[in-house]
Amino acid sequence: MHKSQLDTPSLILDLDLFEQNLTAMRDFAAGYGKKLRPHAKTHKCPEIARRQLACGNCAGICAAKLSEAEALADAGIQDILITSPVTAPWKITRIGELNNRISGLQLTVDNQQQIELLAVQGSKENPVHVVIDVDPEMGRTGVAFADALEFGRFIAKFPSLKLDGVQCYAGHLQHIVSYAERAEESTRLMKLGAAAFRAIAKEIPECRIFTGTGTGTSPADVLIPEVTDIQVGSYCMMDAEYLAVEHGGRNFAPALRMLTSVISANHPGHATIDAGTKAIYVTPGAPAQVISGGKVRPDIAYSWDFGDEHGHLTFPESITMRPGDRIELIVSHCDPTVNLFDELWIVCGDEVIDRWDITLRGCCR
């Protein structure tokens, strides 16, 4: 069917642009001798995870939460790294169950209590594989760089655990507008992470993975020799927030769009569409970009100031909009916007060719 037949608001994914993005990131990483470990928190869609793996040069798939990893496993994905520490005892029991279900589970760790609980879930024959999360001076999760070696030694005491590597992800740097500033700070932090990784690997040879980075810092991070794989996420869809920073989008196209409709246009210079804060995640400073006639329209601005159900478009009075007009938006931030919908409508040109379920929607536990 034609995409004009879709109800609105709906999320649409341009298949050609999406596949171009997958190929571009695969080739970029391979050119520097790195693998990809794409993050499913962006798309929450098993079909996309399968296609990322099939595209090649992948070490596995990342999940932010245990429930995401369980849903990916249900879809047949085997190699999954949970990038946030899982610490609640009832969740660690589920880690043990998941470790018995799939062959390539890994999870990040950052405290001794977590290690002691995980050790009970593994065995010498089927250990729980862990990656030390180091804190890139962000204060969110992870051990300090200076404490990583001692923490690695503590993990090594447990035969039911296997220390696979180190994770360093500086999420706070990904959207710094200046690429030079972003690259300089990420390089400084990743070098500190690399030094911690080298120290651990010297004593614990099984520690072979140094993972981390994001779409915004990946051009700098791949220059760190110790980095083995990059946890990029937004590259496959792209959004207005990344496109607003220097080299944020680089060779990646905005494959994800939101199809909306004008519902009221009674005033010159502005109109109301059917996508407000319940449809598009609010990202201050990076509003959705408007596409009309197949082109980004800088003369038409979107804002959330009409509330939960409605979006506000402003434009020169020379532009005429009518109720029922279709408008596409490059969403402000793809990850949390995707989490508001049940499906992605896959389009080639103007034709809808498939529907992919956002199976991981709401998996935040």
Side-chain angles (χ1 to χ4, degrees), residues 133-336:
D133 187 25
V134 294
D135 176 15
E137 300 177 1
M138 188 178 178
R140 185 167 67 183
T141 64
V143 301
F145 294 119
D147 297 333
L149 176 57
E150 192 59 36
F151 188 47
R153 289 169 178 159
F154 179 76
I155 295 169
K157 295 177 182 178
F158 296 88
S160 58
L161 303 178
K162 186 173 184 295
L163 177 55
D164 288 348
V166 171
Q167 171 182 278
C168 186
Y169 171 61
H172 59 308
L173 305 182
Q174 301 305 316
H175 297 104
I176 292 176
V177 173
S178 164
Y179 175 70
E181 181 182 345
R182 191 185 332 138
E184 180 180 7
E185 184 63 1
S186 189
T187 299
R188 181 183 72 82
L189 293 169
M190 292 299 283
K191 284 184 175 179
L192 291 172
F197 166 72
R198 289 195 306 270
I200 296 169
K202 186 176 180 180
E203 291 193 18
I204 307 170
E206 313 90 70
C207 180
R208 300 191 180 104
I209 295 169
F210 182 40
T211 183
T213 197
T215 298
T217 60
S218 57
D221 297 343
V222 293
L223 302 178
I224 305 296
E226 291 82 1
V227 168
T228 55
D229 57 79
I230 56 176
Q231 298 179 7
V232 288
S234 298
Y235 78 97
C236 67
M237 291 180 158
M238 292 312 298
D239 55 34
E241 190 171 21
Y242 265 118
L243 293 172
V245 303
E246 188 178 6
H247 300 320
R250 26 190 224 293
N251 299 321
F252 306 110
L256 181 72
R257 314 282 177 83
M258 182 171 293
L259 184 66
T260 71
S261 297
V262 175
I263 62 170
S264 182
N266 292 335
H267 306 278
H270 77 89
T272 304
I273 60 174
D274 55 2
T277 61
K278 287 183 180 177
I280 306 176
Y281 181 78
V282 179
T283 304
Q289 296 181 10
V290 178
I291 295 177
S292 182
K295 297 180 180 180
V296 176
R297 295 292 299 271
D299 55 340
I300 306 176
Y302 173 90
S303 70
W304 292 275
D305 57 5
F306 275 2
D308 295 352
E309 315 296 344
H310 309 118
H312 185 195
L313 299 184
T314 54
F315 40 81
E317 292 187 10
S318 58
I319 295 176
T320 299
M321 288 197 183
R322 297 178 176 83
D325 285 352
R326 295 297 180 105
I327 299 292
E328 293 183 19
L329 303 174
I330 301 172
V331 303
S332 53
H333 188 174
C334 50
D335 303 29

Side-chain angles (χ1 to χ4, degrees), residues 19-33:
E19 290 181 341
Q20 288 174 26
N21 289 344
L22 294 196
T23 300
M25 185 60 88
R26 179 200 65 193
D27 294 348
F28 162 74
Y32 289 92

